Amino acid sequence: MKKNATPPAPSRALPEPGDDHYQLYKDVREAISSLPIYFRTETHISGVMATDLHTLNTVLGATLEEQVVRTLNLIRNSWDPDEKYALYSFVRQAQTFPDVLLRKTSTDGILLGIELKGWYLLAKEAEPSLRFQVTAAACAQRDLIVIVPWVLGNVISGSPILFEPFVESARYAADYRNYHWQFIRETKQDRGIDSPKIVGPYPSKADQILDKPHSDSGGNFGRLARTGMMDAYMEKLNKVQLCGIKAIYWRQFLKAFQESTTDTEARLALERLRQRVQHALIIPSPKAQSALVIIAELERLLDLGE
């Protein structure tokens, strides 16, 4: 496909007040945004080497997603205050889109779906690795894509804590993904995309629902974080304070620490982080003191490994 005049970007076709379940849709979105307040988990992680922390999303991703669904059901008063939907609940489904359905158990009636993914905020890649390739026609108007960032409470140990989720219309995300792929990104490759011909919302496992690019040697099609739609959100999260230190600095440190080939390089990474913390200590902060404790623990682990 040749890059000619760029057409207008797609717009969001969101539910409107005339929708029978418009208030439910609004309340569910608000409930999702409040997840960091209500989320509780019995999962506790300790004894993980700093060099292995980047693997946590692989290990804990499915567990956290299950616990997020449980939390949504526990706070149903926030999205169903009048008990109008008492027979409905959020349920996970495996290996098909979307990951989560708000469904009536007795009849399998579905009101909306959520494509739900966790994102370990301190992973090596400074962006969610989610590849969303579902075609727009498979997304109902009320369907959402939700990315939930999380870290361990004490950075290198503790129970997972959540931060403000990224919430977007699934149909819009699919439309904009294709728009960016075909008209915005810089490439000399074929920009074409093949979409399945006959597909609708809430497909079965056997249905073909993925858009397929003509050329994608890098495997980047579907990476929403690389379309620009998440830029402002990710910039905001980079400034989140973890034990008094911005998330972006923790990520830079862990990446350098993980890629260190010698103890000397690892100690240099620790020293750079210590300097950032000590700079923060110009204004005394219990959180920054906590960061120094974490650094001391990492140094102790290094000493044990010698």
Side-chain angles (χ1 to χ4, degrees), residues 81-146:
D82 300 325
E83 299 185 356
K84 181 179 177 181
Y85 302 97
L87 299 181
Y88 289 81
S89 62
F90 287 99
V91 294
R92 288 194 74 199
Q93 57 174 2
Q95 299 178 340
T96 190
F97 172 83
D99 296 314
V100 181
L101 299 173
L102 181 55
R103 188 176 69 190
K104 189 174 185 179
T105 306
S106 59
T107 63
D108 284 338
I110 299 169
L111 295 181
L112 61 83
I114 301 172
E115 184 71 355
L116 176 65
K117 301 300 178 187
W119 172 31
Y120 177 52
L121 190 54
L122 302 183
K124 284 184 179 180
E125 288 190 315
E127 61 188 28
S129 59
L130 162 72
R131 286 173 171 80
F132 180 61
Q133 300 175 334
V134 174
T135 193
C139 305
Q141 190 177 41
R142 291 190 291 268
D143 287 352
L144 300 170
I145 184 162
V146 175

Side-chain angles (χ1 to χ4, degrees), residues 23-216:
Q23 190 60 47
L24 171 69
Y25 169 79
K26 285 183 57 181
D27 290 342
V28 166
R29 289 193 64 139
E30 290 183 8
I32 291 170
S33 296
S34 71
L35 279 170
I37 300 173
Y38 296 103
F39 181 78
R40 299 291 183 273
T41 177
E42 297 177 358
T43 302
H44 184 90
I45 302 296
S46 62
V48 178
M49 293 297 293
T51 50
D52 296 327
L53 285 172
H54 68 281
T55 66
L56 284 178
N57 206 60
T58 302
V59 176
L60 291 179
T63 300
L64 282 173
E65 290 161 17
E66 183 69 45
Q67 292 170 343
V68 165
V69 173
R70 183 181 66 183
T71 301
L72 283 172
N73 285 322
L74 287 174
I75 62 171
R76 64 179 306 122
N77 285 344
S78 66
W79 52 266
D80 185 23
D82 300 325
E83 299 185 356
K84 181 179 177 181
Y85 302 97
L87 299 181
Y88 289 81
S89 62
F90 287 99
V91 294
R92 288 194 74 199
Q93 57 174 2
Q95 299 178 340
T96 190
F97 172 83
D99 296 314
V100 181
L101 299 173
L102 181 55
R103 188 176 69 190
K104 189 174 185 179
T105 306
S106 59
T107 63
D108 284 338
I110 299 169
L111 295 181
L112 61 83
I114 301 172
E115 184 71 355
L116 176 65
K117 301 300 178 187
W119 172 31
Y120 177 52
L121 190 54
L122 302 183
K124 284 184 179 180
E125 288 190 315
E127 61 188 28
S129 59
L130 162 72
R131 286 173 171 80
F132 180 61
Q133 300 175 334
V134 174
T135 193
C139 305
Q141 190 177 41
R142 291 190 291 268
D143 287 352
L144 300 170
I145 184 162
V146 175
I147 299 174
V148 182
W150 64 277
V151 298
L152 297 180
N154 295 318
V155 182
I156 62 171
S157 64
S159 295
I161 58 174
L162 308 186
F163 293 94
E164 177 187 356
F166 174 81
V167 184
E168 183 57 270
S169 159
R171 183 182 293 175
Y172 171 76
D175 281 336
Y176 190 84
R177 172 204 65 213
N178 287 9
Y179 174 78
H180 179 272
W181 187 264
Q182 293 178 302
F183 303 108
I184 302 300
R185 70 189 180 106
E186 296 295 331
T187 184
K188 294 181 180 179
Q189 296 180 342
D190 187 340
R191 298 170 179 268
I193 298 173
D194 291 329
S195 298
K197 301 300 182 183
I198 303 176
V199 65
Y202 312 121
S204 69
K205 293 180 182 179
D207 291 339
Q208 300 298 313
I209 62 170
L210 302 184
D211 284 343
K212 296 181 179 180
H214 292 179
S215 179
D216 183 20

